[in-house]
Amino acid sequence: MTKASIAIVGAAETTRMGKVPELSQTGLHADAALNAMAECGLTPADIDGIATAGHDSAEIAQYLGITPTWQDSTSIGGCSFILHVRHAAAAIATGLCKTVLITHGESGRSNNRAHRPLFPSMQQQEFEAIYGPLFPPSRFTLPVLRKMKDDGLTLEQLAMVAVVQREWASRHPRATAHDPITVDDVLSAKMIAWPFTKLMCCLVSDGGGALILTSAERAQDFPTKPVYLRGMGGESCEGPMVSQMEDFTSSKAFRVSGKAAFESAGISHSDVDHLMIYDAFAHLPVYGLEDLGFVAKGEGGAFIAEGNTRPGGRLPLNTNGGGLSYMHSGMYGMYALQEGVRQMRGLSPAQVEGAKLSVVHGVGGMFSGAATVVLTSEDQW
């Protein structure tokens, strides 16, 4: 039997999400952080570790009145916060700090920003932007078009990703989009960049979230139900330019981070009750299912289209509706974590009955980075 060593004891999103024009990016960080601290009965004086991305962790610490003994501003795109969970666990396990706050805040819609994320990178600007692709929809089309050609991924299968995730979002009161959609709705929506229509692209939102981690030994001292980190997770990167991917039909960073997370947790795919895969665009859950090893290469699109990931399916996926229907402030990984925690606490509006193990996987940039963690409701296994 292995006993858990790290637990998430606080998890909260900003008070409001979607359109929050009265708050700056810093204000969104603070709102989420204070909500997470209030949930588990802590104050800024109790926090001695802090991590964030797309913003200076020192600025957030000062704004909240925190003087940390450990900090992390690693920023590899939207999956940074999933990576921070792994880094925070290592810091706690080695005694660098006792209680870590991970924050995210982004004014993606109202554009009340204090800092800009790290994209585009210098390489993207120098070697890709000169040929026309300026934004994620136009960069992400390169791999998905190759996958359609080589692996048989169809437009209808891409559309089903959005359809199924809207089904999950309809169960979440805080989700941005609730109304049911059909494959025809998705395919006939405004074209953004072939083959992506508007409904295949993520929302543009204001919001944020925060997590608080500590040792599993201390977790019983808090009023919240702890969620345990099973293993130390995994992380990887392949480089900032989508044009230089080793294989357009598969993400090396996905494969490496996922394999490391599964090995660290000592689990097999059949153990997984719940799965969150960052979905800035409709093709990402397809890549995630394949590269994490849940299905064989070329089978991800059909797996979703056949209903396996929808409510009542055998592998519940993106149960908050994902970036396509729940919300997407620009760096979505925090919201995937929040839903993973809710599921493991048994508190999600779209609760998967009996779920005990959740895999949360995220992408950074255009397949440039990846991070994966395994969460569980059980303190030993």
Side-chain angles (χ1 to χ4, degrees), residues 4 32 99 126 177 235 247-248 254 260 266-267 272 309:
T99 311
E126 187 173 359
E235 60 188 87
D247 179 355
F248 287 145
F254 277 26
I267 62 169
V272 179
T309 64

Side-chain angles (χ1 to χ4, degrees), residues 219-241:
Q220 303 306 318
D221 297 334
F222 294 88
T224 49
K225 181 179 179 179
V227 173
Y228 300 97
L229 184 64
R230 180 156 174 169
M232 293 299 287
E235 60 188 87
S236 188
C237 62
E238 188 173 356
M241 293 191 292

Side-chain angles (χ1 to χ4, degrees), residues 275-289:
L275 179 61
M276 296 296 293
I277 297 175
Y278 192 130
D279 62 318
F281 298 90
H283 67 303
L284 288 170
V286 175
Y287 279 78
L289 285 168

Side-chain angles (χ1 to χ4, degrees), residues 30 121 167 174 289 368:
S121 73
E167 292 178 6
R174 280 170 63 84
L289 285 168
S368 61

